Structures are given as structure tokens and as C-alpha cells.
Amino acid sequence: MPKSILKFFCLLFAVLLASCAKRGNITGGTKDTLSPILNASFPKNLTTNFKGQEIKLVFDEYVKLKNINKNLIISPPMKIQPEILPYTASKVITIKIKDTLKPNTTYSFNFGQSIEDNNEGNPYSQFKYVFSTGSYIDSLKINVKIKDALENKVANFVSVMLYEINEKFNDSTIYKESPRYITNTLDSLKVVTLENIKAGKYLLLALKDNGNNKFNPNVDKIAFQKEYITIPNDSVFELKLFKEKLPFKAIKPTQSSNNRLIMGHEGDGKNIKITVKNGSEVVPSMVTHFPKKDSVQIWFKPMKADSLHILVEKDKFLKDFTVKINKQKTDTLSFNVDFNGVIPLRERFAVNSGIPLVKFDKSKITILNKDSLAVAFDTEYDEFEQKLFLNFKKEELESYKIRFMPGALTDFYEKQNDTLTYKVGTKSNTDYGNLRVLLENVKRFPVIVELTDKDGKVKASEYSESNTTVEFVAIEPAKYTLRLIYDDNKNKIWDSGNYMERRQSEEVIYFPKEIDVRSNWDVEQPFNVKI
């Protein structure tokens, strides 16, 4: 072949080769989205007559453990927690059992989301290793739905438990012992399955606890099935969590100012009977709430004393404290108001005093509208909260000048106010919305109907003893959650349950959707409370 033709073909081949080449970035390949695979376990999963102290899980790739202490659920719980190794990435996970295993018992290790591959973090979800120290694997199960007795959302990591009803069980067992079987909702589950259970009679309960699998009423929420359950059982059980109302208990008072003590407490701080004594002499005193704390303030009249005896009485609690008294600063009378500027049409004007008040001279209090006309009002004093309400009819687009002349208010120490002047105004009716709730299938009365915001804070509340139409007038435009509470003890508040009394919380029913209340809108909302 002539050289010129050979050169032509070589040049043509080079051009074709260049045209076939594609520009692009070098990639690492397709992202790994696959979970690890368990290749083997020693002993095998579902082993019976287990006698060992060590379990090995072998995976197809390097895995790591994430939040193992939070995710791993061992049922029945072990008094001595096993050691899970290694702490770094490995293809083998080793479980070293430190506790003495019970005979003829099925154990399960549910790893939840704690095992994941080392590179991409893909979880090996809900992997469960099961073995029995007896000749068979217990295979019964129950399903449990977890709710909150009051709130519309449920806490994460709620433990669901079964206590076996036998000769050793009594009402105090849940305070002292771990359950026979346990599982957990982890960070997302609302319905859980308790598996590998043997037939029998059990107490079913749930705890939002500190992880020790025992009920501590001071800090834990609890839910329980009132009657014992028998397994096997195909029912889906529903448990509602609540925080028990603690019995009253006072903590030793401490001096806060020259004539005031602060006393912390558990339980309800209202209606405490406190007697202050200087030797045998009874000292005049008052008790009020310490704002935003589970504490009360004990106010006492000035006197010379090295120490005071404080006798505290409420319900079954009775205790005498001795408090040393030192010279300290003296509290001064001060005031502030809940609303200064705009006051919502459905709210009341209130004055908060720094020292509790004992006298009110209504003739020295005036409320004038923008035309300088006097507005009729009456007063109401909440001694425990140190709050004076002025109740008057508020009109839309109106302004009010509220004045307390000197001597209108007298505090516990006979000090009186200087001139106080506050100005508030109202917005138009069209700036608010109205909501009419039509209750359907109400089982009993009275009921409390409430509107809450996205954080569960109550924004409006109405009480009905018989009426199935409930009106919320002049409420702020917003999206609300609507709920009904059956007020069975007629005290106008929601009451939680009590485990020892086998008493459930008062029933709460939620409307299934948010209600959008807009300005200058009238909303009529049927609410079928039949479950």
C-alpha cells in the first residue's frame, strides 16, 4: 500500500477515535443505598437450650453501632447490661452476656436502628436476635397503640411492658422490679408489637421513663390497662400516658427578703395552711404563688426574731420547719399589668402586685373611655396569684384610661400605692374571628371545650354543663387545635389518673383537623366526639 494512502487511513482513524471520546467528570459510582446483610450468627438465631455467654453476628460489610444504649431493647430486661463490641467499625458484632439467664425463658435483642453500614449509614432496621434457654421459642404477641392522655402528640422512646401476674406480683412491683417483657416505640412508632411472649396473665403498661424500667411518679409518665390481660389475645390495646398528680409535700423554706420566705413543694400548692410562730406567738402571714415555680411565698409581719417555726398543713401532710431569720432587704410595693397598649376584646384587665394586697378602695379607681365618660366596672382579687382584675365591658375601637388614685390599693404591710395610670385600647371586631362549635354525640356533661395553639398552649376555653353549642367570640386569627374534655369530677380542670387507685385520666377527644380562624370570619364547626 502506498505510504500516502497509509497516512490517510491513520489520520482518519485518529479523527474517528477523537470524535468518539466524551468529556465528563470522574464519579465514584452509584451511591450505596442497600442495608447490610447478616451472613451468619453464632449460635444461630432462634436457638433453643441456649447455654452460652457470647453471641456473634457476622455481616457482609463493615458495620457500626449508633446510639446502641438508646435503641437496643432486651426482653426480658437484664439487671446487668450485656457488653456490645466492638466500638469501631467491624464485620462482626459480639454480644457478651454478663447477667445470669433465667431458665425456660425466651430472650430477644431488638437492635432498632442502631446497626448501620460504615460508609453510607444505611440501617439494618429492627434486626432481632432471639434465643431460648428452654426447649422452645415463645411465639405469642400483642399489639399496643400509644397515645397521650391530654396532648395531641406522643413522646418518643416510650417503653411498653408486661408484668407477669404470679404469686410475687403486687401493686408496688412496678416501682421496684423490671417487667417480664418490654419493647419501645423508639423515635417514631405509635403502634408497637410485643413478641415472643408465653401464655399467661399480665399487667400491661407503658412508661416514658429515665431508662431504668421502673415507675418513678416524680418524673415518669405512665399508662396502664386497668384490667389484667390474658395472652393469647388478638386485641389492639390502647394506652394513654399521663403524669400523676403528686401528693403534696413541702420542702424546707428559705428566707428571700426581710419579711418573706420561699417554700418549694411537690403537688398542688393551693389551699396550703401555714402557721408562722415566733416562739409561742402566732405571726400574721399570707401565702401566695411564686411565679413560674412549684413554690409559694410566705409573707409575715415585721418582728424581732432569730428564727421562726413554720407549720405546714395540707391533706395528709403535716410538718414543722425552723427557719433562721437574718436582716435582709425589704420588699417594696410595685405593680405591672398583663396588657399595656392593646387589650384583646375577650381578655380581662389585670394588675399584678409585688406584695399581696389586702384592701381596695373602689372610689379611688376610675375607668374613662375616649370621650372621658366613666365606664362601670367591678373588681375581683386572686390572692394566691396576687392579681387584681377589673371587669368591664369592652367596646371595639375604644380607648380606656385606667387610674388608681393614691390609697386605692393597700398591701399586707399597710403600704399604699401612688398614682397609677394605664392606657389600653381595643381593635375592631373585624380584626377577630368567631367560632361556633356544634357538639355531636356527647356522652355526658359537663365538658370543657378548648382551643390550643401548635405548642399545645390553651388559647381559649369554654365550659358547658348542658349546651351542645359552644361559642368562641372575638378570638385571634390563627390555626387552632380543638379538643373536648369530659370533666367527670366537675372541678373545671383536666385531671390525670393514678396507678395505685387504678384511675384513668379524664377523657380527652380531639377534632381530627386544625381549624383555621380568620379575621372577620364566622366559622361553624360540627364536632362529633363519638369514638
Side-chain angles (χ1 to χ4, degrees):
M1 180 182 296
K3 288 184 179 181
S4 59
I5 296 175
L6 180 60
K7 287 181 179 180
F8 171 80
F9 279 111
C10 290
L11 180 61
L12 179 62
F13 178 78
V15 171
L16 290 173
L17 185 63
S19 67
C20 291
K22 294 182 179 179
R23 293 190 177 187
N25 296 323
I26 298 175
T27 68
T30 305
K31 182 179 179 180
D32 178 15
T33 59
L34 300 177
S35 300
I37 296 174
L38 181 68
N39 282 340
S41 59
F42 304 97
K44 289 183 178 180
N45 206 349
L46 303 179
T47 286
T48 56
N49 297 310
F50 182 91
K51 305 296 182 185
Q53 295 296 121
E54 187 171 284
I55 301 163
K56 289 188 178 293
L57 308 174
V58 183
F59 291 87
D60 68 329
E61 60 179 311
Y62 281 90
V63 296
K64 58 186 177 183
L65 296 171
K66 181 179 180 182
N67 297 327
I68 186 69
N69 292 332
K70 204 169 188 180
N71 277 277
L72 178 62
I73 305 165
I74 304 173
S75 182
M78 295 181 174
K79 291 183 179 180
I80 304 174
Q81 290 299 303
E83 186 178 10
I84 313 294
L85 298 171
Y87 302 119
T88 57
S90 173
K91 288 188 176 183
V92 179
I93 292 176
T94 301
I95 304 170
K96 293 188 176 183
I97 297 173
K98 304 290 186 179
D99 203 4
T100 300
L101 299 177
K102 299 175 183 179
N104 301 312
T105 300
T106 298
Y107 284 86
S108 68
F109 289 68
N110 189 333
F111 284 82
Q113 300 289 103
S114 61
I115 300 175
E116 56 183 36
D117 69 46
N118 186 51
N119 293 325
E120 300 294 342
N122 299 310
Y124 186 31
S125 295
Q126 305 300 324
F127 168 65
K128 195 172 181 183
Y129 183 86
V130 179
F131 65 84
S132 174
T133 56
S135 59
Y136 60 90
I137 300 288
D138 291 318
S139 58
L140 298 177
K141 63 182 181 180
I142 60 168
N143 295 310
V144 183
K145 182 177 183 179
I146 301 298
K147 297 178 69 176
D148 193 280
L150 178 64
E151 304 298 334
N152 201 23
K153 55 186 178 181
V154 186
N156 295 332
F157 295 97
V158 175
S159 297
V160 181
M161 306 171 171
L162 285 175
Y163 280 86
E164 189 173 11
I165 306 304
N166 53 31
E167 66 280 358
K168 295 181 179 180
F169 181 85
N170 57 53
D171 284 343
S172 64
T173 298
I174 70 168
Y175 301 88
K176 303 174 182 177
E177 304 292 336
S178 296
R180 177 62 188 262
Y181 300 104
I182 187 170
T183 189
N184 195 282
T185 63
L186 301 178
D187 59 357
S188 61
L189 299 176
K190 298 299 178 284
V191 178
V192 296
T193 302
L194 265 164
E195 297 180 301
N196 303 115
I197 307 169
K198 72 174 184 178
K201 183 186 288 187
Y202 296 92
L203 168 68
L204 171 63
L205 63 81
L207 291 180
K208 174 59 181 175
D209 72 336
N210 61 3
N212 69 349
N213 300 324
K214 298 167 190 173
F215 179 41
N216 180 354
N218 292 326
V219 294
D220 296 344
K221 276 189 171 184
I222 188 172
F224 62 92
Q225 187 74 16
K226 188 173 182 178
E227 305 296 336
Y228 297 143
I229 68 170
T230 301
I231 295 175
N233 199 312
D234 294 331
S235 301
V236 177
F237 296 95
E238 184 175 271
L239 298 179
K240 297 180 180 180
L241 289 162
F242 61 86
K243 177 72 171 60
E244 282 190 354
K245 182 179 179 181
L246 298 174
F248 179 80
K249 179 182 177 182
I251 300 168
K252 184 178 179 179
T254 58
Q255 188 177 4
S256 180
S257 67
N258 205 40
N259 301 109
R260 178 167 55 106
L261 307 176
I262 301 293
M263 184 181 76
H265 61 81
E266 296 176 354
D268 188 357
K270 286 187 177 181
N271 303 317
I272 308 172
K273 182 181 177 182
I274 291 182
T275 305
V276 179
K277 285 188 175 182
N278 181 13
S280 60
E281 177 190 0
V282 176
V283 179
S285 62
M286 290 184 71
V287 179
T288 66
H289 181 224
F290 189 67
K292 300 180 180 179
K293 300 286 185 181
D294 289 331
S295 303
V296 295
Q297 304 175 100
I298 304 171
W299 307 83
F300 55 91
K301 288 294 180 74
M303 98 291 301
K304 290 184 178 180
D306 295 326
S307 62
L308 292 175
H309 295 284
I310 312 297
L311 178 63
V312 183
E313 301 175 73
K314 184 175 180 183
D315 302 329
K316 297 179 180 180
F317 184 87
L318 176 64
K319 191 167 184 178
D320 194 0
F321 298 97
T322 300
V323 182
K324 290 185 177 181
I325 299 299
N326 301 308
K327 184 67 176 178
Q328 294 193 15
K329 65 178 179 63
T330 299
D331 292 303
T332 57
L333 183 59
S334 61
F335 300 93
N336 62 73
V337 294
D338 288 349
F339 300 100
N340 198 356
V342 175
I343 183 170
L345 286 171
R346 64 180 288 116
E347 298 292 346
R348 296 194 292 171
F349 182 83
V351 178
N352 306 288
S353 61
I355 297 174
L357 304 175
V358 294
K359 294 179 184 177
F360 315 95
D361 189 342
K362 190 177 176 182
S363 68
K364 295 182 179 180
I365 306 172
T366 58
I367 303 178
L368 302 178
N369 65 15
K370 62 185 175 185
D371 296 324
S372 297
L373 298 176
V375 177
F377 68 94
D378 58 42
T379 61
E380 179 184 339
Y381 186 61
D382 185 335
E383 180 180 298
F384 190 65
E385 297 294 342
Q386 297 175 216
K387 189 183 290 283
L388 175 65
F389 293 97
L390 300 187
N391 300 320
F392 62 95
K393 184 179 179 181
K394 291 177 285 297
E395 305 289 348
E396 65 172 326
L397 296 175
E398 185 60 272
S399 59
Y400 300 95
K401 185 177 182 180
I402 302 170
R403 176 168 290 176
F404 297 82
M405 299 301 292
L409 309 173
T410 304
D411 74 10
F412 180 60
Y413 302 112
E414 304 298 326
K415 301 293 184 182
Q416 296 184 328
N417 65 292
D418 295 326
T419 299
L420 302 171
T421 303
Y422 304 101
K423 294 180 180 180
V424 294
T426 59
K427 297 190 291 187
S428 168
N429 283 326
T430 60
D431 291 321
Y432 301 96
N434 299 316
L435 172 63
R436 178 183 291 110
V437 179
L438 308 178
L439 301 175
E440 301 173 352
N441 295 307
V442 179
K443 293 185 291 186
R444 57 192 180 274
F445 285 93
V447 295
I448 307 168
V449 184
E450 295 180 331
L451 297 176
T452 66
D453 62 15
K454 60 182 178 62
D455 298 318
K457 183 179 180 181
V458 177
K459 307 301 290 185
S461 179
E462 296 292 339
Y463 195 76
S464 175
E465 295 182 336
S466 61
N467 200 339
T468 56
T469 299
V470 178
E471 303 266 3
F472 292 94
V473 179
I475 55 178
E476 296 285 347
K479 290 185 177 180
Y480 294 98
T481 298
L482 172 65
R483 70 187 179 196
L484 175 142
I485 299 170
Y486 285 106
D487 185 26
D488 293 327
N489 64 0
K490 301 180 181 180
N491 67 349
K492 298 188 177 182
I493 61 172
W494 175 81
D495 289 284
S496 64
N498 185 281
Y499 168 74
M500 292 298 285
E501 297 174 8
R502 288 296 192 272
R503 175 170 49 82
Q504 299 288 352
S505 304
E506 289 183 327
E507 187 177 3
V508 181
I509 310 296
Y510 275 88
F511 187 72
K513 298 179 181 178
E514 278 189 328
I515 296 177
D516 189 4
V517 177
R518 302 181 185 182
S519 58
N520 201 28
W521 277 38
D522 292 319
V523 179
E524 188 171 274
Q525 180 61 64
F527 183 8
N528 187 345
V529 297
K530 184 176 181 180
I531 298 179

